[in-house]
Amino acid sequence: MTTAPQIVMRRLTLTTAVWVCAVSALAWWWMYLSGSAHSGHSGGSSGMADMPGMPGGAHGGHHGGTTAGTVSATEAEMFLAMWAGMVIAMMLPVAVPLVAAHRFVTRPKGRAGAVSTSVFIGGYLLIWVLSGLVPLLLLAAKRWLVPVSEGSPWSVAGAGVVITAAGLFQFSGLKTRCLTVCRSPLSFVLTHDFKAGSLGTLRAGVLNGLYCLGCCWALMLVQVAVGLHNLLWMGILTLLFLAERALKAGKRIAMATGGVLAGLGVVLMCEPLLHTPLAGLVG
């Protein structure tokens, strides 16, 4: 028999899903438009060096006032803007149960409760947006140290290293602990004190964002490796994030994903020797 709290929770989840998906759809559309513009400008997608204005050191010695092997402030800003759009498109839908759980707890406060939930999800997204600084630094270092051209066998092999590492991470204890928290959004909300007002709510959102980042950081690096504008991989990874959290077999799905990615990564690492058709997945 369905109880009253369960009915309320379902209604909140449906309402939350509608507006979250609307915001996420705008982010997906923006990523599509920016990806089309980037492809038209650079003549194709990109792998490890996928950064606006950064098609790779071998594509030209100067671009936008930037010397080979360096990253300009404009390029960095454009990358971070794309990263923000990508994480909103991918991680906001994943947060639907979390947002619904928070609204369920704060709904007696009326409008103040809605504001509290906005602050909470803002803290969650803040962590994801700031995390873009890490891949930016990694890509900049890669461009400086190994200025190989996009789509080259060695660039594909580099993506293979990242994909293999991400696959192995799926079997780690950190992944398991963080995924356990992510799979229980209502429990997280109920066990965190929001009496500290907006600051406490923001702190709780940041903490949940850190758990989510700990769970998903490796797979997000896969997205960087295959190209931020690769909408196919964005869709696949978003569905995997949702499945890991929402389905009863989520933990087994995470491990199965790890096995597939590790195997794919090993094959891609052999690209300089084998030249397999799978290289097209990251090109």
Side-chain angles (χ1 to χ4, degrees), residues 19-30 85 88-93:
W19 72 261
V20 164
C21 288
V23 174
S24 178
L26 291 175
W28 277 90
W29 179 243
W30 183 81
I88 291 174
M90 296 177 67
M91 303 314 299
L92 200 53

Side-chain angles (χ1 to χ4, degrees), residues 14-152:
L14 179 60
T15 303
T16 300
V18 170
W19 72 261
V20 164
C21 288
V23 174
S24 178
L26 291 175
W28 277 90
W29 179 243
W30 183 81
M31 290 298 294
Y32 170 76
L33 293 178
S34 60
S36 298
H38 176 62
S39 296
H41 180 269
S42 64
S45 184
S46 54
M48 287 294 288
D50 186 32
M51 190 180 296
M54 289 184 62
H59 278 254
H62 302 273
H63 186 90
T66 304
T67 58
T70 63
V71 180
S72 71
T74 299
E75 291 171 339
E77 291 170 1
M78 292 177 67
F79 175 85
L80 292 176
M82 282 195 306
W83 176 269
M86 184 186 72
V87 297
I88 291 174
M90 296 177 67
M91 303 314 299
L92 200 53
V94 172
V96 166
L98 177 66
V99 179
H102 195 275
R103 285 295 297 126
F104 178 75
V105 173
T106 61
R107 76 189 190 285
K109 299 180 180 180
R111 180 172 295 182
V115 172
S116 177
T117 298
S118 298
V119 172
F120 179 77
I121 198 63
Y124 167 87
L125 289 176
L126 176 64
I127 289 298
W128 273 109
V129 172
L130 292 179
S131 69
L133 293 171
V134 176
L136 172 62
L137 292 175
L138 291 176
L139 286 169
K142 179 263 177 186
R143 187 185 192 191
W144 181 63
L145 294 172
V146 191
V148 296
S149 63
E150 300 175 54
S152 73

Side-chain angles (χ1 to χ4, degrees), residues 6 23 25 37 78 90 94 134 149 155-156 194 215 225 234 243 249 255 262:
Q6 288 176 327
V23 174
M78 292 177 67
M90 296 177 67
V94 172
V134 176
S149 63
S155 179
V156 173
F194 299 102
C215 178
M234 279 182 62
M255 292 186 177

Side-chain angles (χ1 to χ4, degrees), residues 149-247:
S149 63
E150 300 175 54
S152 73
W154 291 106
S155 179
V156 173
V161 172
V162 175
I163 292 172
T164 300
L168 295 177
F169 176 76
Q170 293 291 97
F171 298 93
S172 69
L174 177 60
K175 169 72 178 189
T176 300
R177 289 193 296 274
C178 291
L179 181 58
T180 299
V181 174
C182 292
R183 284 175 57 84
S184 305
L186 183 58
S187 176
F188 177 88
V189 173
L190 291 175
T191 54
H192 286 76
D193 189 359
F194 299 102
K195 294 180 180 180
S198 296
L199 183 60
T201 301
L202 179 65
R203 188 184 304 117
V206 167
L207 179 59
N208 191 274
L210 288 172
Y211 275 115
C212 188
L213 181 63
C215 178
C216 304
W217 69 269
L219 293 183
M220 291 300 278
L221 283 185
V222 171
Q223 183 66 52
V224 176
V226 302
L228 294 187
H229 289 121
N230 195 319
L231 297 184
L232 174 62
W233 275 91
M234 279 182 62
I236 292 173
L237 292 177
T238 301
L239 290 176
L240 285 175
F241 293 151
L242 288 169
E244 286 181 352
R245 287 161 172 73
L247 300 182

